[in-house]
Amino acid sequence: MSNPKVTNENTELFHSSHLMLLITYTVFAALLTGKAFLVGWEKWVLVLVGFAVIVCWIMHFRQEGTPQIRVRIYTILMLCTTFFYGIHPTVTFDLGVVIGGLIVLFSTTGMKSLITLSQVTYYVTMVYNVASLFMAGEKFDTLFFTRLTLHFALVFFIGWFAKTIIDKWTQLLTRSQDEIDQLTEDTERLNDFLANVSHEIRTPVNAVIGLSSICIDKSQNREILGDLVSVREAGRRVADQISDILDYSELDRKKAVCNNEDYMLSSVLHDLVTEIRHNKSKELELIIDVDPAIPAVMHSDVSKLKKILRALITNGLKYTRKGGVYVRIACETQSYGVNLCIEVTDTGIGMTEYELEKVYENFYQADSGRARLGGGLGLGLAIVSGFVSLLGGFMTISSKPDVGTTVHVSLPQKVVDPTTCMSVVNPDQLCLGAYLHFEKYSDPAVRDYYNSMVLNIVKGLGVQMHRVNNSEDLRLLHDSIHMTHLFVAEEEYTSNMELMEELGKDMIVVVVANDDIVLPAGSRVRVMEKPFYCFPVVSVLNTSIHDKQSAGFKMYCRGVRALVVDDEPMNLVVGKSIFRSYGMDVTTVLSGQEAIDICREKVFDIIFMDHMMGGMDGVEAMKRIRADVSGKNGEVPVVALTANAMSSAKQMFLAEGFDGFVSKPIETDELERVMKQVLPKSSISMEEIGAAEPPKQEFEEMRSPSAPKVTSISLREQLRSYDVDTDAGMKYCMNDLEFYKSLLVQFVLEAEEKSPLMGRYYESGEWHEYEILVHALKSTSKMLGAGHLSEDAKAMEMAAKEHREEYIAENHYALMSEYTRLVKGIGDILEEEVQTARAEKEATQTSEAEPSDESGEDEILEFDATEEPAPEPKPEDAKTTEADDEILEFNPVEEEGGKEK
């Protein structure tokens, strides 16, 4: 019996035979009609033949029945027509040629039964002819019998050859299909292996990254600090490669899906730049040119968009020895929204035509020299191409050896907020100066990139800028017009430091520099870390010289307990460093849900909340923290952190209920102004720069007397057998052992309610409620250090969100078994604490149930509670003014008539 897969593929392989049969039948019917009229055959049969041809064409166009049934109908009608042709004595010995041609034609269908039917039709027709001739008294000679025998044998052998060819062909296809199935199975196993290995490696790599970050914060030895930074960067590089393997595996198995959400391009670029700038060589320039007309909020898979941008930019930096990378992001309006157009151009080594043809292949790197230069797995562009196709876009690549490469990507996006992605307040009142000597760059392409970016910023924002190339012209410019802002390159600042500090008294002076620049004590200038691009510029333009702090003093908020919420780890590192410099006790979390969870356990004095986060955005998290009756932070001030550069953003966030607004990247003056507004005056002190700080409280002193260090070690050893990384859990609890133990106890108590609910929702197929519970399990288990359980819960959360019931059915009981095992293990280890907490909880529920029975129900249904969302405020349109001359090359000879206002 033939392989069913092969039979199905044969049907596809021989699909063209349907049309061949119909065309042949039509031509044959036309010739038969002509001959019938010439020799006077029966005319009424021709009507039936014409009707049969029409019916066959109708069946073909309407695709009536299965392909096999249609082929058999075509064959029977053709053979009936052939029988009518062959029963006439004048064509007795022509029939063999006709049948032989039909056998060859039918062999293209791969159906041996049609060959047999053709042979039987021929034999029946010939027997009918011989019988008719015999009845008519025809005399048969030796030549007649010889010809008859020869035609019989010819038809037999033609049919035998046709059947043999079909058998051999089927055997070949069967072997090929078996090989294809084996290769497919091997590929699936390899992909599963890669995914499993990557998943297993990710946990220890995350531990390496996390622990090295902790050691970096504690280390005082500069040599050891450098080694720790190298370890962390190596861990991050491995983590990125693991992520590439997982992405490639999903794309290769056709299991990659889109998780679309609303996002702001400003947030995407800020997170991306924060991550990339630390891996960029200082000898290379990264220029990001964004069209201000791009909509403020769009709808797409933001994680895949970020990976596309990261891969293209890092790939350009990787293969560029000198010069830089230019990123241009613009949009084209379409009926469905916009096409987000991304163009990444580098001045790197380029590619030949052969390499361009191979670049989309998996694991491809141009040659050994190129591989040594770039390293990596060779999956970058393959993943980018897969993600672009998944998002419904397209990608083109053009390149020339030793000149550079340009990658153009176009992605369709739905528009949520059509207002522009950036704007400034009162652009007509701004006058910008620029001491940016682009001619110092040896590569002319880099000069063109910077000129193009600056022109687009000035033109898009509707402001006026005056550029100078030397310090003398800068002095004359300052004497001639009143500038509000001055942008200076690092080299220009260091060579004219006294002049820049002097100008800083009258205007905002911004130095565009690398992160290693050192400013003199009490400097009035601000540093804008490279890369130089539009969103930080807009943030600076929306601040005033009057917002600057008093020289010689620094603001401190010692002892203030701050919670920082952001889904980008690098932003948390930066934010943690900034807020700690004010003497704050900083706690960081990676999601809105984690913020809600920790706000139920710890009291904070201020919360800094990122706006655009996956799962739950900052607005919803803020409202849930405020409305959470079981929380301890209902009245705490919440400040919005966002890279939104729109002038109306502040009003929008304040209308939503935030107490303050700080744009990213964080400007010190703006941050301090907001903290002065929202924090009590008693929490803020102004101290002289360089004043001695009070000694820090050591970690051991923070522990309670009843919880000595040996308790932590014992707890770590006991929890290790349950795959719990106590170091990670203690990190989430800011190394507070008692708090960590309370979370473990709470985890056990919550499981007594959540575990039955998860089972009930699973049995009833209520996937939204199921998704909420596994999301909570993901967050709480991650806070405890149960990384494996958190990852499994995360996978189940995504499956519930996408209603992949087959995946849920395959993994639900394994998840519940792992969950139950961990809960039981913690319950056994902390048996006394769990019993005490359970008794206190039962006593509390009993006392609360006496006046009202509704409180207990509200506690169980906490995740089902929904709020009426606040109406979306309409952001005011920012006024823009188009200047006739956006960038003016300053000529001191032409500047007369006093200062320009």
Side-chain angles (χ1 to χ4, degrees):
M1 182 178 292
S2 63
N3 191 334
K5 290 186 178 180
V6 174
T7 302
N8 292 335
E9 292 200 8
N10 281 348
T11 302
E12 295 296 326
L13 181 63
F14 300 130
H15 181 72
S16 60
S17 64
H18 295 201
L19 192 58
M20 293 169 59
L21 288 175
L22 287 176
I23 293 174
T24 303
Y25 188 22
T26 303
V27 173
F28 181 47
L31 295 174
L32 179 62
T33 301
K35 185 163 186 175
F37 276 102
L38 289 175
V39 299
W41 289 350
E42 297 82 357
K43 304 296 187 298
W44 62 272
V45 177
L46 300 178
V47 177
L48 297 178
V49 171
F51 179 75
V53 171
I54 294 173
V55 169
C56 290
W57 279 107
I58 292 175
M59 291 182 64
H60 175 75
F61 286 122
R62 297 182 61 179
Q63 296 292 296
E64 295 287 349
T66 64
Q68 293 86 348
I69 291 177
R70 291 200 304 272
V71 167
R72 286 186 170 88
I73 292 174
Y74 303 160
T75 301
I76 291 172
L77 293 176
M78 289 181 69
L79 292 177
C80 289
T81 304
T82 304
F83 178 78
F84 169 72
Y85 170 80
I87 60 175
H88 296 91
T90 56
V91 295
T92 299
F93 290 104
D94 296 338
L95 181 62
V97 178
V98 175
I99 289 294
L102 291 179
I103 290 175
V104 173
L105 179 63
F106 294 153
S107 65
T108 60
T109 65
M111 301 169 66
K112 293 193 292 184
S113 59
L114 303 186
I115 308 299
T116 302
L117 187 60
S118 300
Q119 291 174 311
V120 171
T121 301
Y122 173 75
Y123 297 142
V124 171
T125 305
M126 291 302 293
V127 169
Y128 178 85
N129 277 339
V130 171
S132 298
L133 292 174
F134 179 78
M135 295 295 295
E138 185 71 27
K139 299 292 186 178
F140 301 130
D141 54 12
T142 304
L143 179 61
F144 178 84
F145 285 108
T146 303
R147 294 177 64 188
L148 186 63
T149 303
L150 180 61
H151 279 239
F152 268 70
L154 181 64
V155 170
F156 173 80
F157 281 108
I158 291 175
W160 179 73
F161 283 130
K163 292 178 181 179
T164 302
I165 292 173
I166 291 176
D167 287 337
K168 296 298 183 181
W169 204 339
T170 303
Q171 292 174 10
L172 176 63
L173 289 175
T174 301
R175 286 197 299 270
S176 300
Q177 184 62 45
D178 291 340
E179 293 176 359
I180 292 173
D181 291 343
Q182 184 63 42
L183 289 173
T184 303
E185 184 179 354
D186 291 343
T187 302
E188 286 289 332
R189 289 178 179 176
L190 177 61
N191 286 332
D192 290 339
F193 172 76
L194 290 175
N196 292 333
V197 169
S198 301
H199 178 78
E200 292 300 322
I201 295 176
R202 173 178 284 183
T203 301
V205 167
N206 287 343
V208 170
I209 296 173
L211 293 176
S212 60
S213 297
I214 295 175
C215 294
I216 288 171
D217 291 339
K218 296 180 179 179
S219 177
Q220 301 296 325
N221 187 305
R222 296 183 64 86
E223 184 177 350
I224 295 177
L225 183 64
D227 293 338
L228 288 172
V229 171
S230 299
V231 170
R232 184 177 64 180
E233 293 307 314
R236 287 173 176 167
R237 191 158 54 249
V238 173
D240 290 340
Q241 292 175 345
I242 291 172
S243 178
D244 286 346
I245 292 174
L246 294 174
D247 289 336
Y248 164 75
S249 178
E250 283 189 348
L251 289 168
D252 190 58
R253 291 183 293 174
K254 311 296 183 186
K255 292 186 177 180
V257 295
C258 290
N259 298 306
N260 295 334
E261 57 183 295
D262 297 346
Y263 75 95
M264 292 188 296
L265 184 63
S266 54
S267 297
V268 173
L269 285 181
H270 179 266
D271 294 345
L272 191 63
V273 167
T274 303
E275 178 182 346
I276 289 178
R277 64 160 50 111
H278 299 289
N279 300 321
K280 182 185 73 67
S281 170
K282 291 180 173 60
E283 286 71 31
L284 297 178
E285 298 298 317
L286 174 60
I287 303 102
I288 302 177
D289 185 3
V290 180
D291 183 1
I294 294 175
V297 183
M298 295 176 285
H299 186 79
S300 184
D301 191 324
V302 64
S303 65
K304 290 180 175 57
L305 172 62
K306 190 182 295 185
K307 288 181 178 180
I308 290 171
L309 283 167
R310 182 192 298 116
L312 293 179
I313 295 174
T314 55
N315 204 61
L317 293 171
K318 185 189 301 181
Y319 296 121
T320 300
R321 296 185 180 93
K322 61 179 181 178
V325 175
Y326 175 65
V327 183
R328 170 65 176 165
I329 305 177
C331 66
E332 296 176 352
T333 304
Q334 303 291 338
S335 59
Y336 48 78
V338 296
N339 279 343
L340 188 65
C341 302
I342 303 169
E343 190 172 274
V344 181
T345 304
D346 63 61
T347 59
I349 63 177
M351 290 182 285
T352 63
E353 292 184 3
Y354 174 79
E355 291 168 349
L356 280 175
E357 294 176 358
K358 295 286 186 179
V359 75
Y360 293 102
E361 295 182 3
N362 303 329
F363 309 106
Y364 177 76
Q365 290 178 316
D367 53 43
S368 58
R370 187 182 179 93
R372 285 194 297 271
L373 172 67
L377 302 174
L379 293 174
L381 287 179
I383 293 174
V384 169
S385 178
F387 281 163
V388 169
S389 299
L390 191 66
L391 295 177
F394 66 88
M395 178 175 75
T396 60
I397 303 177
S398 59
S399 183
K400 290 183 179 180
D402 300 322
V403 175
T405 302
T406 298
V407 182
H408 180 84
V409 172
S410 180
L411 300 172
Q413 310 280 295
K414 292 182 179 179
V415 176
V416 178
D417 183 354
T419 57
T420 58
C421 65
M422 68 183 92
S423 61
V424 294
V425 180
N426 301 321
D428 54 327
Q429 298 179 10
L430 299 178
C431 184
L432 314 184
Y435 186 13
L436 305 170
H437 189 57
F438 295 146
E439 285 69 20
K440 64 176 176 280
Y441 298 110
S442 59
D443 194 319
V446 174
R447 297 197 294 267
D448 293 341
Y449 297 157
Y450 268 118
N451 282 320
S452 177
M453 181 201 64
V454 173
L455 176 63
N456 288 329
I457 290 178
V458 173
K459 191 174 181 179
L461 297 177
V463 297
Q464 190 179 61
M465 175 180 283
H466 302 267
R467 273 186 56 193
V468 296
N469 292 320
N470 54 67
S471 58
E472 290 75 12
D473 287 352
L474 179 59
R475 290 180 184 275
L476 291 173
L477 177 65
H478 176 247
D479 294 336
S480 302
I481 63 174
H482 174 70
M483 293 184 292
T484 58
H485 299 76
L486 174 65
F487 294 89
V488 185
E490 181 175 4
E491 296 84 351
E492 287 79 341
Y493 170 78
T494 54
S495 61
N496 301 274
M497 191 176 298
E498 293 182 1
L499 174 61
M500 300 308 154
E501 294 296 336
E502 180 184 346
L503 295 177
K505 298 177 182 179
D506 302 323
M507 68 189 74
I508 295 178
V509 178
V510 180
V511 179
V512 182
N514 291 310
D515 59 354
D516 56 354
I517 186 173
V518 178
L519 299 179
S523 175
R524 297 181 177 88
V525 305
R526 306 182 185 186
V527 176
M528 180 180 294
E529 190 175 346
K530 285 186 175 182
F532 181 39
Y533 71 109
C534 55
F535 290 112
V537 171
V538 171
S539 180
V540 171
L541 295 182
N542 283 326
T543 61
S544 168
I545 185 68
H546 303 294
D547 298 330
K548 299 174 67 177
Q549 64 185 31
S550 301
F553 289 87
K554 178 175 174 58
M555 174 178 157
Y556 283 94
C557 305
R558 301 193 185 280
V560 171
R561 295 159 295 185
L563 173 64
V564 185
V565 188
D566 198 307
D567 62 347
E568 174 56 47
M570 287 298 298
N571 286 342
L572 292 180
V573 173
V574 174
K576 191 174 184 179
S577 175
I578 291 175
F579 297 129
R580 275 187 171 178
S581 69
Y582 289 94
M584 296 182 178
D585 296 329
V586 184
T587 302
T588 60
V589 293
L590 287 163
S591 70
Q593 183 61 52
E594 291 182 24
I596 295 171
D597 292 341
I598 202 168
C599 283
R600 292 171 179 162
E601 300 295 331
K602 298 184 70 174
V603 177
F604 296 98
D605 300 307
I606 188 171
I607 299 175
F608 295 94
M609 182 79 68
D610 183 31
H611 175 216
M612 297 298 295
M613 295 187 293
M616 180 189 301
D617 66 11
V619 175
E620 182 181 354
M622 177 270 297
K623 291 181 178 179
R624 290 183 63 176
I625 290 173
R626 291 273 172 80
D628 190 356
V629 294
S630 64
K632 302 179 179 180
N633 297 275
E635 302 298 328
V636 67
V638 184
V639 177
L641 283 177
T642 178
N644 190 343
M646 294 184 296
S647 59
S648 59
K650 180 177 180 180
Q651 290 74 21
M652 180 182 72
F653 286 112
L654 293 179
E656 288 286 357
F658 285 95
D659 297 282
F661 166 83
V662 176
S663 62
K664 294 188 293 187
I666 297 174
E667 283 286 333
T668 303
D669 299 333
E670 183 183 7
L671 172 64
E672 293 181 358
R673 184 176 66 252
V674 171
M675 289 195 297
K676 288 177 181 178
Q677 292 174 352
V678 301
L679 288 174
K681 292 184 179 180
S682 58
S683 301
I684 301 172
S685 62
M686 299 297 295
E687 303 176 14
E688 291 187 24
I689 297 176
E693 296 185 7
K696 295 181 180 179
Q697 189 179 20
E698 296 297 330
F699 173 74
E700 291 302 322
E701 297 175 355
M702 293 164 55
R703 299 182 182 273
S704 65
S706 61
K709 187 173 183 179
V710 67
T711 306
S712 174
I713 298 174
S714 175
L715 184 63
R716 178 186 292 110
E717 292 174 349
Q718 293 179 78
L719 290 175
R720 185 178 299 159
S721 60
Y722 296 98
D723 295 326
V724 176
D725 182 1
T726 52
D727 291 330
M730 288 288 287
K731 181 183 177 184
Y732 275 103
C733 297
M734 301 301 295
N735 293 320
D736 187 334
L737 178 60
E738 291 303 318
F739 178 43
Y740 181 56
K741 289 170 67 176
S742 70
L743 286 185
L744 292 170
V745 172
Q746 181 188 359
F747 185 77
V748 174
L749 297 181
E750 287 183 352
E752 296 174 357
E753 297 177 356
K754 292 181 178 179
S755 183
L757 283 176
M758 289 174 64
R760 189 204 316 171
Y761 293 146
Y762 169 75
E763 295 295 338
S764 61
E766 298 176 67
W767 302 128
H768 178 66
E769 288 75 11
Y770 186 85
E771 175 193 349
I772 293 175
L773 289 183
V774 293
H775 174 81
L777 176 60
K778 175 194 72 173
S779 300
T780 54
S781 57
K782 185 175 182 180
M783 291 177 65
L784 300 181
H788 289 294
L789 179 59
S790 178
E791 288 294 328
D792 293 342
K794 179 180 179 181
M796 292 294 280
E797 177 192 5
M798 295 303 300
K801 184 177 182 179
E802 298 160 6
H803 294 274
R804 289 186 278 128
E805 299 183 12
E806 182 178 350
Y807 180 88
I808 298 175
E810 292 175 355
N811 296 277
H812 169 77
Y813 292 106
L815 176 68
M816 295 303 296
S817 175
E818 186 180 4
Y819 185 20
T820 303
R821 175 177 173 271
L822 177 59
V823 170
K824 185 178 184 303
I826 296 174
D828 293 340
I829 295 170
L830 302 176
E831 182 178 1
E832 182 177 350
E833 290 88 343
V834 171
Q835 289 179 353
T836 302
R838 183 182 291 113
E840 292 176 354
K841 181 178 180 180
E842 291 174 354
T844 302
Q845 290 177 340
T846 301
S847 62
E848 290 179 352
E850 289 177 357
S852 173
D853 293 332
E854 295 178 357
S855 60
E857 182 180 0
D858 288 343
E859 184 176 0
I860 295 176
L861 299 180
E862 178 183 348
F863 288 105
D864 292 331
T866 57
E867 299 177 359
E868 185 69 20
E872 191 75 12
K874 295 183 179 179
E876 298 177 0
D877 295 333
K879 297 181 180 179
T880 58
T881 303
E882 287 286 349
D884 293 334
D885 296 319
E886 291 85 359
I887 302 180
L888 303 181
E889 292 291 344
F890 178 71
N891 187 343
V893 179
E894 297 177 358
E895 295 292 336
E896 297 179 359
K899 293 187 177 181
E900 179 181 339
K901 297 292 183 182

